[in-house]
Amino acid sequence: MKRRTFLSFLGVSGVAAVLPTEGKAAPVKDFAGHPDAVGVLHDSVRCIGCRKCEAGCQRANNLPMPAQFKKPAKPFDDLSELDKKRRTHFQQYTVVNKYESSKGKTVFKKFQCNHCQEPACASACFVKAFVKTKEGPVIYKPNLCVGCRYCMIACPFYVPTYDYDSALNPLVYKCTMCYDTRLKKGLLPGCVEICPKDALTFGKRSDLIKVARKRIMDNPGLYVDEIYGETEMGGANWLYISPVAHKELDQPELGKTSAPELTSGALGSVAMVAGIWPVLLGGAYFISKRREKQAAEERDAAVRAAVAETREEAETRLNTALDKAAKEKDAEVAREVKKTREETAREIEAKYNPPEPEPEEADAETEKNTEEDA
Ligand code: SF4
Ligand code: SF4
Ligand code: SF4
C-alpha cells in the first residue's frame, strides 16, 4: 500500500476507529484474526539488502544510531554487517540478514516481530504487558511489565529482547509496527516508508495475502508458492514471500496451531484453563522471585562472614608482624649498644692500661739500654 492509498484507507476507516481499541490473544480454535487488521508483506525477491529499513526504524522510534549503541556496531550503510547473522536487540528492533540459498541465489530477509494473530508472548504474559490490538500490531506496556521474561521464552521467533545493561529498570523491547509513533498519526511504519525497492508493503492483512498470491501467480518460477506467516502458529500480520524455501531463510517450521491453543491443549484436563494459566505463571514467578531473594540474602550473609573472617585474620597477621618487627628492632638496638660499649671499653683499656711487654722483650730492652749507657 502506497502512502496515498494508506491515507485513503485511514480516511475510510478513520484513525480513531482503526487504532484505539485493544484485542487480546484469543485462545480459540481456528481464530481468523481481526478482519480489518493491518500488516506488512516482505518480498525477498525485491529486497536488495540495503539496510535502509534498519536506519528508518531507528529514526521512527528515536533509537540511537550504531555508533551510540552500548556495544557500538557498524553504520547502516556498511553492508559488510550482512556477512554475519544478526538478531534484534534492545536498541535495534529490526535487522536484515543475507542468505546464500541452495539455488545459488543471494537472498535477503528482514527480521522483526511478526505481530502474530494469536501471539505466544501475549498468552504467556500474566500481567498483560503484551497486547494484541484489533488493528494488528502487538504492543508492549512497560508500566505493567514485571520483568519475568516469559514472553522471551514463549516467542517461537525469538523476538523480544531485554535490556540486561539497565540495572534499575530493565524492560523488554521489540518492533511495535510503529503503532504509537506513526500509525496513530496516519503515517506508514518507518521501515516501509523508507524502503527504496517496495520490498515492504503495508496494508490490510487480507489484502496483503491477495497481493502476495498475485505476485506468486504472475511470476512463475520466481517465488516459492508459499506465504510465510499466513498460517504458521495461527498466522501473523507480518507476511513473507521468497524465491527460496522459507526455511532456508531461518524461518522456523511451525504448525498451524496457535500458541494459546497449544497451551489450552496442554492444560485441557484442568478445569478453568483460562484462569489457571496466569495463576500458574504468577505462582512460578513469585516462587522464583522468593528463591532469588533467599539466595541473595544467603549470598550476602556468606560474603559478610567471609569479609569479617578475612579482616580478623589480617589484623592478627598485622599484629604478629608488628610484634616481630618491634622485637627485631629492640634486639638490633641492644646488639649495637653492646657492640659500642665493648669497643669503647677496648679503646679506654688500650689508652690507659697498655699491655705489659713480654719478659724476653723486656730483657732485650734492658740489654739495649745498658749498651747505650756504656
Ligand atoms: S530497505 Fe527495503 S530493500 Fe532495503 S534492506 Fe530493507 S526491505 Fe530490503
Ligand atoms: S513474533 Fe514473538 S514477540 Fe512478535 S507477536 Fe509473535 S510471539 Fe509475540
Ligand atoms: S514497523 Fe516500525 S518498529 Fe517495526 S521494524 Fe518497521 S520501523 Fe521498526
Side-chain angles (χ1 to χ4, degrees):
M1 185 183 284
K2 294 288 186 192
R3 171 178 269 271
R4 198 181 313 148
T5 331
F6 170 64
L7 292 174
S8 68
F9 160 74
L10 289 178
V12 172
S13 310
V15 175
V18 173
L19 295 173
T21 53
E22 288 172 1
K24 58 181 176 182
V28 291
K29 208 171 166 70
D30 300 327
F31 173 61
H34 300 288
D36 287 327
V38 293
V40 177
L41 171 68
H42 180 246
D43 185 335
S44 283
V45 169
R46 296 184 177 188
C47 181
I48 56 169
C50 64
R51 299 184 67 206
K52 288 202 172 8
C53 49
E54 293 183 22
C57 179
Q58 301 301 113
R59 278 194 280 277
N61 293 285
N62 286 323
L63 293 167
M65 287 297 160
Q68 285 99 47
F69 285 177
K70 286 191 181 169
K71 288 172 194 155
K74 291 177 184 166
F76 288 121
D77 55 4
D78 186 338
L79 300 187
S80 67
E81 193 75 344
L82 294 166
D83 292 338
K84 60 185 179 205
K85 292 286 172 297
R86 295 173 301 145
R87 303 207 63 79
T88 53
H89 57 83
F90 71 96
Q91 292 183 305
Q92 190 175 1
Y93 305 164
T94 186
V95 293
V96 178
N97 280 324
K98 181 167 85 171
Y99 299 86
E100 300 302 338
S101 78
S102 57
K103 291 183 185 171
K105 286 186 179 175
T106 301
V107 183
F108 301 96
K109 189 201 74 187
K110 182 177 175 297
F111 174 79
Q112 73 299 298
C113 172
N114 286 330
H115 300 276
C116 307
Q117 298 210 97
E118 298 175 79
C121 56
S123 78
C125 180
F126 61 95
V127 293
K128 296 199 183 311
F130 272 85
V131 176
K132 174 70 177 176
T133 64
K134 284 182 178 164
E135 298 77 26
V138 174
I139 59 168
Y140 169 68
K141 300 191 168 182
N143 55 324
L144 297 179
C145 180
V146 292
C148 67
R149 284 169 275 161
Y150 288 136
C151 54
M152 292 174 69
I153 299 163
C155 174
F157 305 101
Y158 308 103
V159 166
T161 62
Y162 197 67
D163 181 4
Y164 290 98
D165 292 345
S166 172
L168 295 178
N169 193 23
L171 295 172
V172 175
Y173 296 85
K174 70 165 198 74
C175 158
T176 59
M177 213 192 277
C178 292
Y179 181 74
D180 282 317
T181 52
R182 294 179 63 88
L183 293 194
K184 281 184 174 178
K185 297 173 189 164
L187 300 169
L188 286 167
C191 55
V192 176
E193 186 173 74
I194 205 170
C195 177
K197 290 288 173 186
D198 283 340
L200 296 166
T201 311
F202 177 87
K204 269 169 67 171
R205 182 178 187 270
S206 51
D207 291 340
L208 293 177
I209 290 173
K210 288 180 199 154
V211 170
R213 287 232 171 83
K214 187 162 179 350
R215 273 189 214 164
I216 293 170
M217 295 281 287
D218 290 351
N219 297 282
L222 200 52
Y223 295 90
V224 293
D225 186 10
E226 187 193 352
I227 305 168
Y228 190 87
E230 186 177 8
T231 57
E232 280 75 13
M233 292 279 284
N237 287 61
W238 209 288
L239 304 160
Y240 302 82
I241 48 176
S242 161
V244 298
H246 293 284
K247 67 178 179 192
E248 288 195 42
L249 308 182
D250 285 344
Q251 298 282 31
E253 292 181 279
L254 303 167
K256 293 184 179 181
T257 313
S258 71
E261 199 181 324
L262 284 173
T263 304
S264 67
L267 299 176
S269 58
V270 183
M272 296 175 69
V273 168
I276 210 141
W277 180 234
V279 172
L280 285 177
L281 286 174
Y285 173 71
F286 287 114
I287 286 167
S288 91
K289 275 282 160 205
R290 205 180 61 206
R291 282 192 185 144
E292 274 175 26
K293 193 171 167 228
Q294 274 175 352
E297 283 168 4
E298 283 168 13
R299 192 178 56 234
D300 288 350
V303 168
R304 275 198 300 276
V307 167
E309 194 180 320
T310 309
R311 187 176 288 150
E312 201 177 313
E313 197 182 321
E315 277 174 11
T316 308
R317 275 197 205 157
L318 180 64
N319 289 337
T320 310
L322 286 172
D323 280 353
K324 193 176 165 204
K327 279 179 191 156
E328 279 175 2
K329 196 174 167 196
D330 288 350
E332 178 73 10
V333 169
R335 268 198 302 278
E336 285 299 316
V337 169
K338 188 177 170 212
K339 194 172 147 195
T340 309
R341 273 194 193 138
E342 285 170 355
E343 281 173 4
T344 309
R346 272 199 298 276
E347 280 171 18
I348 291 170
E349 187 70 19
K351 193 167 180 184
Y352 296 104
N353 295 310
E356 290 288 332
E358 292 294 321
E360 279 182 14
E361 284 177 21
D363 290 348
E365 188 72 17
T366 309
E367 271 175 33
K368 190 177 166 201
N369 291 339
T370 310
E371 281 169 14
E372 283 174 1
D373 291 345

